[in-house]
Short mmCIF file of all heavy atoms in Angstrom, two decimals:
data_model
loop_
_atom_site.label_atom_id
_atom_site.label_comp_id
_atom_site.label_asym_id
_atom_site.label_seq_id
_atom_site.Cartn_x
_atom_site.Cartn_y
_atom_site.Cartn_z
N MET A 1463 -11.66 17.31 -0.11
CA MET A 1463 -11.34 15.98 -0.61
C MET A 1463 -9.85 15.69 -0.39
O MET A 1463 -9.00 16.41 -0.87
CB MET A 1463 -11.68 15.92 -2.10
CG MET A 1463 -11.77 14.51 -2.63
SD MET A 1463 -12.43 14.50 -4.30
CE MET A 1463 -12.00 12.84 -4.77
N LYS A 1464 -9.60 14.61 0.32
CA LYS A 1464 -8.21 14.31 0.63
C LYS A 1464 -7.53 13.65 -0.56
O LYS A 1464 -8.15 12.85 -1.25
CB LYS A 1464 -8.13 13.33 1.81
CG LYS A 1464 -8.52 13.96 3.13
CD LYS A 1464 -8.15 13.03 4.29
CE LYS A 1464 -8.82 11.68 4.13
NZ LYS A 1464 -8.54 10.81 5.29
N PRO A 1465 -6.28 13.99 -0.80
CA PRO A 1465 -5.53 13.29 -1.85
C PRO A 1465 -5.31 11.85 -1.44
O PRO A 1465 -5.14 11.55 -0.27
CB PRO A 1465 -4.21 14.05 -1.92
CG PRO A 1465 -4.07 14.68 -0.58
CD PRO A 1465 -5.48 14.97 -0.12
N ILE A 1466 -5.35 10.97 -2.41
CA ILE A 1466 -5.12 9.55 -2.12
C ILE A 1466 -3.64 9.33 -1.86
O ILE A 1466 -2.81 9.77 -2.63
CB ILE A 1466 -5.58 8.68 -3.30
CG1 ILE A 1466 -7.09 8.83 -3.49
CG2 ILE A 1466 -5.22 7.21 -3.06
CD1 ILE A 1466 -7.62 8.12 -4.71
N GLU A 1467 -3.38 8.67 -0.78
CA GLU A 1467 -2.00 8.41 -0.44
C GLU A 1467 -1.53 7.13 -1.12
O GLU A 1467 -2.16 6.09 -0.98
CB GLU A 1467 -1.85 8.27 1.08
CG GLU A 1467 -0.42 8.13 1.51
CD GLU A 1467 -0.28 8.27 3.02
OE1 GLU A 1467 -1.26 8.63 3.68
OE2 GLU A 1467 0.80 8.01 3.52
N VAL A 1468 -0.46 7.22 -1.85
CA VAL A 1468 0.08 6.06 -2.56
C VAL A 1468 1.44 5.71 -1.96
O VAL A 1468 2.30 6.56 -1.83
CB VAL A 1468 0.24 6.34 -4.06
CG1 VAL A 1468 0.86 5.13 -4.76
CG2 VAL A 1468 -1.11 6.67 -4.68
N THR A 1469 1.55 4.46 -1.58
CA THR A 1469 2.80 3.98 -1.02
C THR A 1469 3.43 3.00 -2.00
O THR A 1469 2.79 2.05 -2.43
CB THR A 1469 2.55 3.27 0.33
OG1 THR A 1469 1.89 4.18 1.20
CG2 THR A 1469 3.85 2.82 0.96
N ARG A 1470 4.66 3.25 -2.36
CA ARG A 1470 5.34 2.35 -3.29
C ARG A 1470 6.10 1.28 -2.50
O ARG A 1470 6.80 1.59 -1.55
CB ARG A 1470 6.30 3.13 -4.18
CG ARG A 1470 5.59 4.23 -4.95
CD ARG A 1470 6.18 4.44 -6.32
NE ARG A 1470 5.64 5.63 -6.99
CZ ARG A 1470 4.40 5.71 -7.47
NH1 ARG A 1470 3.56 4.71 -7.31
NH2 ARG A 1470 3.99 6.79 -8.08
N VAL A 1471 5.89 0.05 -2.91
CA VAL A 1471 6.48 -1.05 -2.18
C VAL A 1471 7.19 -1.99 -3.15
O VAL A 1471 6.92 -1.97 -4.35
CB VAL A 1471 5.42 -1.83 -1.38
CG1 VAL A 1471 4.80 -0.96 -0.30
CG2 VAL A 1471 4.33 -2.36 -2.31
N ASP A 1472 8.09 -2.82 -2.62
CA ASP A 1472 8.80 -3.76 -3.49
C ASP A 1472 8.41 -5.21 -3.20
O ASP A 1472 9.08 -6.13 -3.58
CB ASP A 1472 10.31 -3.56 -3.40
CG ASP A 1472 10.80 -3.74 -1.97
OD1 ASP A 1472 10.00 -4.16 -1.11
OD2 ASP A 1472 11.99 -3.47 -1.72
N THR A 1473 7.31 -5.39 -2.49
CA THR A 1473 6.82 -6.73 -2.22
C THR A 1473 5.30 -6.73 -2.36
O THR A 1473 4.65 -5.70 -2.13
CB THR A 1473 7.22 -7.18 -0.80
OG1 THR A 1473 6.60 -8.43 -0.53
CG2 THR A 1473 6.77 -6.18 0.24
N LYS A 1474 4.77 -7.88 -2.74
CA LYS A 1474 3.32 -7.95 -2.96
C LYS A 1474 2.55 -8.11 -1.65
O LYS A 1474 1.34 -8.00 -1.64
CB LYS A 1474 2.99 -9.12 -3.90
CG LYS A 1474 3.37 -8.81 -5.34
CD LYS A 1474 2.71 -9.79 -6.29
CE LYS A 1474 2.89 -9.34 -7.74
NZ LYS A 1474 2.11 -10.17 -8.67
N GLU A 1475 3.27 -8.41 -0.60
CA GLU A 1475 2.62 -8.49 0.70
C GLU A 1475 2.94 -7.24 1.50
O GLU A 1475 4.10 -6.95 1.76
CB GLU A 1475 3.10 -9.74 1.45
CG GLU A 1475 2.50 -11.02 0.90
CD GLU A 1475 2.84 -12.22 1.77
OE1 GLU A 1475 3.49 -12.02 2.82
OE2 GLU A 1475 2.46 -13.33 1.42
N VAL A 1476 1.93 -6.54 1.85
CA VAL A 1476 2.13 -5.31 2.62
C VAL A 1476 1.21 -5.34 3.84
O VAL A 1476 0.23 -6.07 3.88
CB VAL A 1476 1.82 -4.06 1.77
CG1 VAL A 1476 2.75 -3.99 0.58
CG2 VAL A 1476 0.38 -4.05 1.31
N SER A 1477 1.56 -4.53 4.80
CA SER A 1477 0.69 -4.39 5.95
C SER A 1477 0.33 -2.92 6.09
O SER A 1477 1.07 -2.04 5.68
CB SER A 1477 1.38 -4.88 7.23
OG SER A 1477 2.48 -4.08 7.55
N CYS A 1478 -0.86 -2.67 6.62
CA CYS A 1478 -1.31 -1.30 6.77
C CYS A 1478 -2.05 -1.16 8.10
O CYS A 1478 -2.86 -2.02 8.46
CB CYS A 1478 -2.24 -0.92 5.61
SG CYS A 1478 -2.80 0.79 5.69
N ASP A 1479 -1.74 -0.11 8.81
CA ASP A 1479 -2.51 0.17 10.03
C ASP A 1479 -3.07 1.59 9.98
O ASP A 1479 -3.56 2.11 10.97
CB ASP A 1479 -1.66 -0.05 11.27
CG ASP A 1479 -0.46 0.87 11.35
OD1 ASP A 1479 -0.33 1.74 10.47
OD2 ASP A 1479 0.34 0.72 12.28
N GLY A 1480 -3.00 2.17 8.80
CA GLY A 1480 -3.57 3.50 8.63
C GLY A 1480 -2.73 4.63 9.20
O GLY A 1480 -3.11 5.79 9.11
N GLY A 1481 -1.62 4.26 9.80
CA GLY A 1481 -0.79 5.29 10.42
C GLY A 1481 -1.43 5.76 11.72
O GLY A 1481 -2.42 5.20 12.19
N SER A 1482 -0.86 6.77 12.28
CA SER A 1482 -1.39 7.28 13.54
C SER A 1482 -2.46 8.33 13.26
O SER A 1482 -2.55 8.87 12.17
CB SER A 1482 -0.26 7.88 14.37
OG SER A 1482 0.35 8.93 13.68
N GLY A 1483 -3.29 8.57 14.25
CA GLY A 1483 -4.32 9.59 14.08
C GLY A 1483 -5.67 9.03 13.69
O GLY A 1483 -5.95 7.84 13.86
N ALA A 1484 -6.50 9.86 13.14
CA ALA A 1484 -7.89 9.52 12.89
C ALA A 1484 -8.07 8.39 11.89
O ALA A 1484 -9.06 7.67 11.92
CB ALA A 1484 -8.64 10.75 12.40
N SER A 1485 -7.12 8.24 10.96
CA SER A 1485 -7.29 7.22 9.94
C SER A 1485 -6.70 5.88 10.35
O SER A 1485 -6.67 4.95 9.57
CB SER A 1485 -6.65 7.69 8.62
OG SER A 1485 -5.26 7.84 8.79
N GLY A 1486 -6.22 5.78 11.59
CA GLY A 1486 -5.64 4.52 12.06
C GLY A 1486 -6.68 3.43 12.16
O GLY A 1486 -7.86 3.68 12.34
N HIS A 1487 -6.22 2.20 12.00
CA HIS A 1487 -7.12 1.05 12.10
C HIS A 1487 -6.27 -0.15 12.49
O HIS A 1487 -5.04 -0.10 12.41
CB HIS A 1487 -7.86 0.83 10.78
CG HIS A 1487 -6.96 0.59 9.61
ND1 HIS A 1487 -6.25 -0.57 9.41
CD2 HIS A 1487 -6.62 1.40 8.57
CE1 HIS A 1487 -5.55 -0.48 8.30
NE2 HIS A 1487 -5.73 0.71 7.76
N PRO A 1488 -6.91 -1.26 12.89
CA PRO A 1488 -6.14 -2.45 13.23
C PRO A 1488 -5.25 -2.87 12.07
O PRO A 1488 -5.65 -2.75 10.91
CB PRO A 1488 -7.22 -3.52 13.49
CG PRO A 1488 -8.43 -2.75 13.85
CD PRO A 1488 -8.35 -1.46 13.06
N ARG A 1489 -4.06 -3.31 12.39
CA ARG A 1489 -3.12 -3.69 11.34
C ARG A 1489 -3.64 -4.90 10.56
O ARG A 1489 -4.04 -5.89 11.14
CB ARG A 1489 -1.76 -4.03 11.96
CG ARG A 1489 -0.71 -4.44 10.92
CD ARG A 1489 0.63 -4.70 11.58
NE ARG A 1489 1.16 -3.49 12.19
CZ ARG A 1489 1.95 -2.62 11.53
NH1 ARG A 1489 2.29 -2.85 10.29
NH2 ARG A 1489 2.39 -1.56 12.14
N ILE A 1490 -3.64 -4.76 9.27
CA ILE A 1490 -4.05 -5.86 8.41
C ILE A 1490 -2.96 -6.12 7.38
O ILE A 1490 -2.13 -5.25 7.12
CB ILE A 1490 -5.38 -5.57 7.69
CG1 ILE A 1490 -5.25 -4.35 6.79
CG2 ILE A 1490 -6.50 -5.39 8.70
CD1 ILE A 1490 -6.43 -4.17 5.86
N PHE A 1491 -3.00 -7.29 6.81
CA PHE A 1491 -2.04 -7.64 5.78
C PHE A 1491 -2.77 -7.78 4.45
O PHE A 1491 -3.86 -8.36 4.38
CB PHE A 1491 -1.32 -8.93 6.13
CG PHE A 1491 -0.38 -8.76 7.30
CD1 PHE A 1491 -0.83 -8.91 8.58
CD2 PHE A 1491 0.95 -8.41 7.07
CE1 PHE A 1491 0.04 -8.73 9.66
CE2 PHE A 1491 1.82 -8.23 8.14
CZ PHE A 1491 1.36 -8.39 9.44
N LEU A 1492 -2.18 -7.23 3.44
CA LEU A 1492 -2.78 -7.25 2.11
C LEU A 1492 -1.84 -7.98 1.16
O LEU A 1492 -0.63 -7.79 1.21
CB LEU A 1492 -3.02 -5.83 1.61
CG LEU A 1492 -3.86 -4.94 2.53
CD1 LEU A 1492 -3.74 -3.49 2.10
CD2 LEU A 1492 -5.32 -5.37 2.48
N ASN A 1493 -2.40 -8.78 0.28
CA ASN A 1493 -1.60 -9.48 -0.71
C ASN A 1493 -2.14 -9.15 -2.10
O ASN A 1493 -3.33 -9.33 -2.36
CB ASN A 1493 -1.63 -10.99 -0.46
CG ASN A 1493 -0.56 -11.71 -1.27
OD1 ASN A 1493 -0.42 -11.46 -2.46
ND2 ASN A 1493 0.19 -12.58 -0.64
N MET A 1494 -1.28 -8.65 -2.96
CA MET A 1494 -1.73 -8.20 -4.28
C MET A 1494 -2.10 -9.36 -5.20
O MET A 1494 -2.81 -9.16 -6.18
CB MET A 1494 -0.64 -7.37 -4.93
CG MET A 1494 -0.27 -6.14 -4.14
SD MET A 1494 1.02 -5.22 -4.98
CE MET A 1494 1.46 -4.05 -3.69
N GLY A 1495 -1.61 -10.56 -4.89
CA GLY A 1495 -1.90 -11.69 -5.75
C GLY A 1495 -1.37 -11.46 -7.16
O GLY A 1495 -0.18 -11.21 -7.34
N ASP A 1496 -2.23 -11.50 -8.14
CA ASP A 1496 -1.80 -11.33 -9.52
C ASP A 1496 -1.70 -9.87 -9.94
O ASP A 1496 -1.31 -9.55 -11.04
CB ASP A 1496 -2.78 -12.04 -10.47
CG ASP A 1496 -2.70 -13.56 -10.32
OD1 ASP A 1496 -1.63 -14.06 -9.92
OD2 ASP A 1496 -3.70 -14.22 -10.60
N ASN A 1497 -2.10 -8.99 -9.04
CA ASN A 1497 -2.11 -7.58 -9.38
C ASN A 1497 -0.80 -6.91 -8.97
O ASN A 1497 0.04 -7.50 -8.29
CB ASN A 1497 -3.29 -6.88 -8.69
CG ASN A 1497 -4.61 -7.47 -9.12
OD1 ASN A 1497 -4.84 -7.70 -10.30
ND2 ASN A 1497 -5.49 -7.73 -8.17
N THR A 1498 -0.67 -5.66 -9.35
CA THR A 1498 0.53 -4.92 -8.97
C THR A 1498 0.19 -3.75 -8.07
O THR A 1498 1.02 -2.91 -7.78
CB THR A 1498 1.26 -4.39 -10.22
OG1 THR A 1498 0.36 -3.59 -10.98
CG2 THR A 1498 1.76 -5.54 -11.08
N GLU A 1499 -1.06 -3.70 -7.65
CA GLU A 1499 -1.44 -2.66 -6.70
C GLU A 1499 -2.64 -3.12 -5.91
O GLU A 1499 -3.38 -4.02 -6.33
CB GLU A 1499 -1.74 -1.35 -7.42
CG GLU A 1499 -2.88 -1.44 -8.42
CD GLU A 1499 -3.09 -0.13 -9.13
OE1 GLU A 1499 -2.17 0.33 -9.83
OE2 GLU A 1499 -4.18 0.46 -8.97
N ILE A 1500 -2.82 -2.54 -4.75
CA ILE A 1500 -3.95 -2.91 -3.91
C ILE A 1500 -4.31 -1.72 -3.05
O ILE A 1500 -3.48 -0.86 -2.76
CB ILE A 1500 -3.60 -4.15 -3.05
CG1 ILE A 1500 -4.88 -4.79 -2.49
CG2 ILE A 1500 -2.63 -3.78 -1.93
CD1 ILE A 1500 -4.64 -6.17 -1.93
N GLU A 1501 -5.57 -1.67 -2.69
CA GLU A 1501 -6.05 -0.56 -1.89
C GLU A 1501 -6.51 -1.07 -0.54
O GLU A 1501 -7.21 -2.08 -0.45
CB GLU A 1501 -7.21 0.11 -2.62
CG GLU A 1501 -7.77 1.32 -1.87
CD GLU A 1501 -8.89 1.98 -2.67
OE1 GLU A 1501 -8.71 2.21 -3.88
OE2 GLU A 1501 -9.96 2.23 -2.09
N CYS A 1502 -6.13 -0.39 0.50
CA CYS A 1502 -6.54 -0.79 1.83
C CYS A 1502 -8.03 -0.49 2.01
O CYS A 1502 -8.47 0.62 1.77
CB CYS A 1502 -5.73 -0.02 2.88
SG CYS A 1502 -6.29 -0.38 4.56
N PRO A 1503 -8.81 -1.53 2.37
CA PRO A 1503 -10.25 -1.34 2.52
C PRO A 1503 -10.60 -0.46 3.71
O PRO A 1503 -11.71 0.07 3.78
CB PRO A 1503 -10.79 -2.76 2.71
CG PRO A 1503 -9.64 -3.55 3.23
CD PRO A 1503 -8.40 -2.92 2.65
N TYR A 1504 -9.69 -0.28 4.64
CA TYR A 1504 -9.97 0.53 5.82
C TYR A 1504 -9.77 2.02 5.55
O TYR A 1504 -10.67 2.82 5.78
CB TYR A 1504 -9.07 0.11 6.98
CG TYR A 1504 -9.51 -1.15 7.68
CD1 TYR A 1504 -9.05 -2.39 7.27
CD2 TYR A 1504 -10.38 -1.08 8.76
CE1 TYR A 1504 -9.44 -3.55 7.92
CE2 TYR A 1504 -10.78 -2.23 9.41
CZ TYR A 1504 -10.31 -3.46 8.99
OH TYR A 1504 -10.70 -4.60 9.63
N CYS A 1505 -8.59 2.37 5.07
CA CYS A 1505 -8.24 3.79 4.99
C CYS A 1505 -8.08 4.27 3.56
O CYS A 1505 -7.90 5.46 3.33
CB CYS A 1505 -6.98 4.07 5.80
SG CYS A 1505 -5.50 3.27 5.14
N GLY A 1506 -8.16 3.35 2.58
CA GLY A 1506 -8.11 3.78 1.19
C GLY A 1506 -6.71 4.02 0.66
O GLY A 1506 -6.54 4.39 -0.49
N ARG A 1507 -5.72 3.80 1.51
CA ARG A 1507 -4.35 3.99 1.05
C ARG A 1507 -4.04 2.98 -0.04
O ARG A 1507 -4.44 1.82 0.02
CB ARG A 1507 -3.40 3.78 2.23
CG ARG A 1507 -1.95 4.01 1.89
CD ARG A 1507 -1.09 3.89 3.13
NE ARG A 1507 -1.48 4.90 4.13
CZ ARG A 1507 -0.84 5.09 5.27
NH1 ARG A 1507 0.20 4.36 5.58
NH2 ARG A 1507 -1.25 6.01 6.11
N GLN A 1508 -3.33 3.44 -1.06
CA GLN A 1508 -3.01 2.55 -2.16
C GLN A 1508 -1.54 2.14 -2.11
O GLN A 1508 -0.67 2.95 -1.86
CB GLN A 1508 -3.30 3.24 -3.50
CG GLN A 1508 -4.79 3.47 -3.71
CD GLN A 1508 -5.09 4.02 -5.09
OE1 GLN A 1508 -4.21 4.50 -5.78
NE2 GLN A 1508 -6.35 3.94 -5.48
N PHE A 1509 -1.33 0.87 -2.38
CA PHE A 1509 0.03 0.34 -2.44
C PHE A 1509 0.30 -0.09 -3.86
O PHE A 1509 -0.47 -0.84 -4.45
CB PHE A 1509 0.17 -0.85 -1.48
CG PHE A 1509 -0.01 -0.47 -0.03
CD1 PHE A 1509 -1.27 -0.47 0.54
CD2 PHE A 1509 1.08 -0.08 0.73
CE1 PHE A 1509 -1.45 -0.11 1.88
CE2 PHE A 1509 0.92 0.28 2.06
CZ PHE A 1509 -0.35 0.26 2.63
N LYS A 1510 1.42 0.40 -4.39
CA LYS A 1510 1.79 0.04 -5.76
C LYS A 1510 3.15 -0.64 -5.77
O LYS A 1510 4.09 -0.17 -5.15
CB LYS A 1510 1.82 1.30 -6.65
CG LYS A 1510 0.42 1.85 -6.88
CD LYS A 1510 0.43 2.82 -8.06
CE LYS A 1510 -1.00 3.27 -8.35
NZ LYS A 1510 -1.07 4.09 -9.58
N LEU A 1511 3.19 -1.73 -6.52
CA LEU A 1511 4.42 -2.49 -6.61
C LEU A 1511 5.41 -1.80 -7.54
O LEU A 1511 5.06 -1.37 -8.64
CB LEU A 1511 4.12 -3.88 -7.14
CG LEU A 1511 5.28 -4.86 -7.18
CD1 LEU A 1511 5.75 -5.22 -5.78
CD2 LEU A 1511 4.87 -6.12 -7.93
N LEU A 1512 6.63 -1.68 -7.05
CA LEU A 1512 7.68 -1.13 -7.88
C LEU A 1512 8.14 -2.18 -8.88
O LEU A 1512 8.52 -3.28 -8.49
CB LEU A 1512 8.86 -0.71 -7.02
CG LEU A 1512 8.71 0.58 -6.20
CD1 LEU A 1512 9.84 0.67 -5.19
CD2 LEU A 1512 8.72 1.77 -7.10
N ILE A 1513 8.06 -1.87 -10.15
CA ILE A 1513 8.49 -2.82 -11.17
C ILE A 1513 9.64 -2.22 -11.97
O ILE A 1513 9.53 -1.13 -12.49
CB ILE A 1513 7.33 -3.17 -12.11
CG1 ILE A 1513 6.22 -3.84 -11.31
CG2 ILE A 1513 7.81 -4.10 -13.22
CD1 ILE A 1513 4.99 -4.15 -12.14
N GLY A 1514 10.71 -2.97 -12.04
CA GLY A 1514 11.85 -2.52 -12.82
C GLY A 1514 12.43 -1.21 -12.33
O GLY A 1514 12.94 -0.42 -13.10
N ALA A 1515 12.31 -1.00 -11.05
CA ALA A 1515 12.83 0.23 -10.49
C ALA A 1515 14.35 0.26 -10.62
O ALA A 1515 15.01 -0.72 -10.33
CB ALA A 1515 12.42 0.35 -9.03
N THR A 1516 14.84 1.37 -11.05
CA THR A 1516 16.28 1.52 -11.17
C THR A 1516 16.83 2.24 -9.95
O THR A 1516 16.37 3.32 -9.63
CB THR A 1516 16.63 2.34 -12.43
OG1 THR A 1516 16.06 1.70 -13.56
CG2 THR A 1516 18.14 2.44 -12.60
N PRO A 1517 17.75 1.61 -9.28
CA PRO A 1517 18.34 2.28 -8.12
C PRO A 1517 18.94 3.61 -8.51
O PRO A 1517 19.61 3.73 -9.54
CB PRO A 1517 19.44 1.30 -7.66
CG PRO A 1517 19.03 -0.03 -8.22
CD PRO A 1517 18.32 0.28 -9.51
N VAL A 1518 18.70 4.60 -7.72
CA VAL A 1518 19.22 5.95 -8.00
C VAL A 1518 20.40 6.23 -7.09
O VAL A 1518 20.36 5.96 -5.90
CB VAL A 1518 18.13 7.00 -7.77
CG1 VAL A 1518 18.68 8.40 -8.01
CG2 VAL A 1518 16.94 6.73 -8.68
N GLY A 1519 21.41 6.77 -7.70
CA GLY A 1519 22.59 7.12 -6.92
C GLY A 1519 23.38 5.89 -6.51
O GLY A 1519 23.34 4.85 -7.15
N GLY A 1520 24.08 5.99 -5.42
CA GLY A 1520 24.88 4.87 -5.00
C GLY A 1520 24.51 4.48 -3.62
O GLY A 1520 25.18 3.79 -2.94
ZN1 ZN B 1732 -5.06 1.13 5.80
#
């Protein structure tokens, strides 16, 4: 069972092409709308919106 890949993003509009290799797929654009996360229907990758993220370091 593969671990679910979670990508943290700072915008509600993301694009996903599954990366290279077997899980690749045509590039699509996903919009979270009222949600703060979305899952790619092709490869299952999850995108989570960063909320109130505090910049680390300088
Ligand atoms: Zn995908």
Side-chain angles (χ1 to χ4, degrees):
M1463 197 171 165
K1464 289 191 302 184
I1466 296 174
E1467 186 169 351
V1468 177
T1469 303
R1470 303 215 189 289
V1471 295
D1472 58 8
T1473 174
K1474 286 196 170 187
E1475 286 188 2
V1476 298
S1477 65
C1478 182
D1479 62 4
S1482 60
S1485 64
H1487 59 72
R1489 180 178 296 271
I1490 61 169
F1491 290 87
L1492 304 166
N1493 193 312
M1494 300 180 191
D1496 291 333
N1497 299 315
T1498 57
E1499 61 182 62
I1500 197 166
E1501 182 178 312
C1502 175
Y1504 282 91
C1505 66
R1507 183 175 299 185
Q1508 293 186 343
F1509 296 88
K1510 290 197 175 186
L1511 185 67
L1512 285 168
I1513 298 176
T1516 304
V1518 178

